[in-house]
Amino acid sequence: MPRRKRNAGSSSDATGDSDDSGEHEKTDSSQSDGNTRANTRLTRASLRLSQSSQEAPPDIKHVVDRDESPPRTPTGNAQSSESDIDVSSPSASHDESQNKDPSQKDSDSDPSHRPKRRRFHESYNFNMKCPTPGCNSLGHLTGKHERHFSISGCPLYHNLSADECKVKAIDRDKQDDERSQNQTEESRHATRHQAATPRQVRYKEKVVEMRRKRDSPVSKEQKEKNMEHRQSHGTTREPLLENITSEYDLELFRKAQARASDDLVRPQHLPLHLQTPEKLRLQGQITEGSNMIKTIVFGRYELDTWYHSPYPEEYARLGRLYVCEFCLKYMKSQTILRRHMAKCVWKHPPGDEVYRKGAISVFEVDGKKNKIYCQNLCLLAKLFLDHKTLYYDVEPFLFYVMTEADNTGCHLVGYFSKEKNSFLNYNVSCILTMPQYMRQGYGKMLIDFSYLLSKVEEKVGSPERPLSDLGLISYRSYWKEVLLRYMNNFQGKEISIKEISQETAVNPVDIVSTLQSLQMLKYWKGKHLVLKRQDLIDDWKSKETKRGSKTIDPSSLKWSPPKGT
C-alpha cells in the first residue's frame, strides 16, 4: 500500500500523518519494554523546533529529523507543563498557528489588545500632591512615611519639618516602650483596686507642676507673632499653638494628631492584596458590592459617612447622596433635591410632639403608622453606627426624634428607638446624635429623656447591648453624673443600690459597674460598702458650673405610656 502524501502544512516527521505516528508508537513501545504509548501532546518548544526545522537548510533539517521524539523525563514520559497544547491533528494545528501569526503581531503592536495585568503601580496615582501651598508632599506628620497627600499628614501645615516629625516619632516610640515595660512589671503584683504606684504619683506631680507654670497669660510678642502668622498664611496653615497651653497638653495634642493621621493614611499606603477584607471593611474601604456612600448632603451640612448602609444599589454606587432633612427622602442629585425642597410640605417629623422647651422638641413617631419615615431614619443612622442591624422591620418600635427649631423648620438633632413591648425592660434599642450636633450635650439629653420616660412608666431601664463605642462613652458619662448628683444631694447615713435604682430608674447592674469604675464600692468585713468620695463630687460640681450642660425639664413632658406596655 503506497504511503499517503504528507500535507504541505506538516512541519517534520514528528508531526506526520496518523500512519507514521502509529509506526512510531510500535517501535517506541518495543524499545522501552512495555512503556505506554508516546504522548501526543506537544509543547510549545517542540512546536517551535518543528517549525524551525521546516525553514532550515536541507543539511540542518536532516540533523533535526533524527531526534523526532520530545525530550523525556527519567520516568520515560514526555515533559509536560502548564503551556502544553492538545494537538489532535498536527498539520491542522500548524496551519492555525500560521494563520494566527499576522493577527498576533497586530495585537502585539496594538497596546489596547494586550492582556491587562493589574499592578500596584498602575492603580497608584503618582500625580497626587498635597493641597498645602508650597508643600512638596515629602515627609509625614507621623514620621513613619516618606510622602503625604492630605492636609492631615502635612508637616508644613502643622508648622513642622519632616525631620522634626521623625524625631518626635522616635521619642513617642521610646515613651510607649517604657510605658509598656512599666505596665508589665506592675501587672505582676497587681491586685484589685490597687492604689497608685510611686511612679504614677511622681508622674502626676510632674504634670501638675508643668500645668501650673502655664498660668501666666500670653505675652504681647506672642500675640503679635500669632497675628502675623495668620495674616501671612490665613487658613492654609495651622495656627501657632506654642505658649497657648502647657507643653504637656500640647504634646498630647500632637500625639493625637499623629495618631489620627496614621489611621487615615494606613489603608492607602498598603497594596490591596496586603489588606484583609475585615480591616478594609472596618476602615470603610470596601463594602458589600463595593458600593459605599462617602458623603451625604443634609440640610446646610455635608457629612462624611463612617459605615456602610444598605441603600438601594443605584443610590449607593453614586458615592454622594442628597437627603431631605425633614422627610428624610434620599435623592441622586442637587437638582432633584432642590425641586423636592420646593414642593416638600414637611417642616418637622411626623407623629406627636411630646416635649418642648425653647427650641428643643421631641416627637414620638410610631413605626407602624409612619413606616417609610422610620425606615429612612434607620438607613440614615446606619451611616454612623456600626452595630445597627434594624433597617426595614420598624413596626414594633417607637422612635423619639429630637429636633432644634428655627425659622425654617425643625432640624434633626438625634433620635432613639425603643421596643413597644420589651421583655428585658430595655428603654433604648438604638440611639444616635447627628455628627454636626455631637459634643454639645445633646447625647446626654437623649439618654436623660429615655430615663425620664422610664420614670413615668415606673420601670427600671437599661440600653440594649451591644453599645457602639461613642454610645458606651456617653452612657458611662451619664451614669457617673447621675450617681455623683445623687450622692451630693443625699443626706442620710446608709444608702442602698436599690434605692438609687428606684430614684434614678437606672438598672442596678449599671449602677454597680459605674461605682466600681469610680472606686466607690468596697468589700469590707463581709459587706459591700458604698463610699461617698467628696473629691469626685467637688470635681463634678466645678465642671458642672463651668459647662452649663443642656438638661431635660420633666415639667415640659406631655406624655403618657402607650397602651399595652
Side-chain angles (χ1 to χ4, degrees), residues 6 30 47 95 131 144 155 234 240 248 251 260-261 263 270 306-307 350 409 438 467 529 540 547:
R6 187 179 290 116
S30 61
L47 190 60
D95 292 340
K144 301 178 181 179
L240 297 178
Y248 173 78
E251 186 62 26
S261 177
D263 292 340
L270 288 177
W306 301 348
Y307 303 102
M438 286 183 177
L467 290 170
L529 303 179
W540 165 75
R547 184 168 50 215

Side-chain angles (χ1 to χ4, degrees), residues 10 24 31 34 60 159 169 230 395 398 444 534:
S10 60
H24 178 68
Q31 291 177 357
I60 300 178
N159 302 311
R230 186 171 183 178
E395 295 182 3
L398 291 172
K444 285 187 178 179
Q534 194 61 37

Side-chain angles (χ1 to χ4, degrees), residues 437-476:
Y437 291 101
M438 286 183 177
R439 302 190 62 83
Q440 300 180 34
Y442 290 107
K444 285 187 178 179
M445 288 184 68
L446 286 169
I447 297 173
D448 195 14
F449 189 82
S450 67
Y451 280 104
L452 177 60
L453 299 184
S454 298
K455 292 178 184 178
V456 175
E457 292 177 318
E458 298 180 354
K459 294 181 180 180
V460 174
S462 180
E464 186 176 339
R465 268 68 171 183
L467 290 170
S468 63
D469 297 336
L470 295 177
L472 183 60
I473 293 173
S474 300
Y475 265 97
R476 283 179 176 174

Side-chain angles (χ1 to χ4, degrees), residues 436-562:
Q436 67 269 28
Y437 291 101
M438 286 183 177
R439 302 190 62 83
Q440 300 180 34
Y442 290 107
K444 285 187 178 179
M445 288 184 68
L446 286 169
I447 297 173
D448 195 14
F449 189 82
S450 67
Y451 280 104
L452 177 60
L453 299 184
S454 298
K455 292 178 184 178
V456 175
E457 292 177 318
E458 298 180 354
K459 294 181 180 180
V460 174
S462 180
E464 186 176 339
R465 268 68 171 183
L467 290 170
S468 63
D469 297 336
L470 295 177
L472 183 60
I473 293 173
S474 300
Y475 265 97
R476 283 179 176 174
S477 177
Y478 175 78
W479 291 331
K480 175 184 176 182
E481 183 179 331
V482 168
L483 289 177
L484 293 178
R485 183 184 293 110
Y486 184 87
M487 294 290 184
N488 183 47
N489 299 330
F490 184 74
Q491 302 297 332
K493 294 183 179 180
E494 294 184 358
I495 190 173
S496 67
I497 294 177
K498 185 177 180 180
E499 292 177 357
I500 300 176
S501 178
Q502 292 176 351
E503 182 73 20
T504 60
V506 180
N507 192 291
V509 177
D510 300 330
I511 294 175
V512 171
S513 64
T514 306
L515 290 174
Q516 287 178 342
S517 65
L518 296 175
Q519 297 185 1
M520 296 175 65
L521 190 64
K522 298 292 182 181
Y523 185 77
W524 186 70
K525 291 186 178 182
K527 294 182 179 181
H528 291 279
L529 303 179
V530 178
L531 304 180
K532 185 177 180 180
R533 294 185 56 180
Q534 194 61 37
D535 56 340
L536 292 178
I537 296 176
D538 294 339
D539 186 32
W540 165 75
K541 290 171 65 176
S542 62
K543 290 182 179 178
E544 191 72 13
T545 54
K546 292 180 181 178
R547 184 168 50 215
S549 59
K550 302 177 176 66
T551 57
I552 291 292
D553 184 9
S555 61
S556 301
L557 178 66
K558 307 298 180 183
W559 180 81
S560 59

Side-chain angles (χ1 to χ4, degrees), residues 141 172 250-262:
L141 183 63
R172 285 195 296 267
L250 181 59
E251 186 62 26
L252 283 181
F253 180 69
R254 291 296 189 194
K255 287 181 181 179
Q257 281 184 322
R259 184 174 180 180
S261 177
D262 194 25

Side-chain angles (χ1 to χ4, degrees), residues 6-232:
R6 187 179 290 116
N7 292 335
S10 60
S11 57
S12 66
D13 293 342
T15 57
D17 54 14
S18 59
D19 296 335
D20 291 339
S21 63
E23 294 175 2
H24 178 68
E25 289 174 6
K26 292 178 182 180
T27 307
D28 199 42
S29 61
S30 61
Q31 291 177 357
S32 59
D33 297 329
N35 284 340
T36 58
R37 60 190 181 89
N39 192 358
T40 59
R41 304 180 65 193
L42 302 177
T43 62
R44 290 179 179 173
S46 61
L47 190 60
R48 287 196 297 269
L49 183 62
S50 63
Q51 293 176 1
S52 61
S53 63
Q54 184 181 7
E55 298 172 358
D59 53 343
I60 300 178
K61 183 178 179 181
H62 179 69
V63 176
V64 172
D65 287 343
R66 292 178 183 176
D67 190 10
E68 297 177 353
S69 61
R72 298 183 178 277
T73 61
T75 59
N77 298 328
Q79 291 183 352
S80 62
S81 65
E82 293 180 358
S83 61
D84 288 348
I85 306 174
D86 246 342
V87 181
S88 57
S89 176
S91 60
S93 66
H94 180 59
D95 292 340
E96 291 176 2
S97 64
Q98 285 183 343
N99 294 333
K100 289 181 180 179
D101 283 339
S103 62
Q104 188 174 0
K105 291 180 181 180
D106 295 340
S107 64
D108 291 340
S109 61
D110 189 2
S112 62
H113 294 287
R114 294 177 182 175
K116 294 183 179 180
R117 297 180 181 178
R118 182 175 180 84
R119 299 183 178 89
F120 177 66
H121 73 271
E122 293 178 356
S123 60
Y124 191 83
N125 188 359
F126 288 96
N127 295 324
M128 295 174 63
K129 288 185 62 178
C130 177
T132 304
C135 182
N136 56 3
S137 299
L138 296 178
H140 197 274
L141 183 63
T142 59
K144 301 178 181 179
H145 308 289
E146 297 298 329
R147 296 179 67 83
H148 66 276
F149 305 106
S150 63
I151 292 178
S152 61
C154 179
L156 184 62
Y157 175 80
H158 295 87
N159 302 311
L160 298 172
S161 63
D163 295 334
E164 290 176 345
C165 293
K166 292 181 180 179
V167 173
K168 289 181 179 293
I170 296 173
D171 294 339
R172 285 195 296 267
D173 293 339
K174 289 182 180 179
Q175 293 177 3
D176 293 339
D177 294 339
E178 293 176 358
R179 187 181 299 109
S180 61
Q181 292 177 1
N182 294 329
Q183 289 177 353
T184 304
E185 294 175 358
E186 294 170 0
S187 62
R188 295 175 182 174
H189 308 286
T191 58
R192 193 174 185 181
H193 305 315
Q194 184 183 15
T197 61
R199 186 189 63 82
Q200 292 174 342
V201 174
R202 290 194 300 270
Y203 183 75
K204 183 178 180 181
E205 293 175 353
K206 178 183 176 181
V207 172
V208 172
E209 184 64 25
M210 292 174 65
R211 287 175 172 171
R212 190 177 299 163
K213 291 180 181 179
R214 186 54 198 87
D215 290 338
S216 58
V218 181
S219 62
K220 185 177 180 180
E221 296 179 357
Q222 185 66 27
K223 289 182 179 179
E224 293 177 354
K225 186 177 179 181
N226 294 343
M227 186 62 65
E228 182 181 356
H229 180 271
R230 186 171 183 178
Q231 290 177 354
S232 57

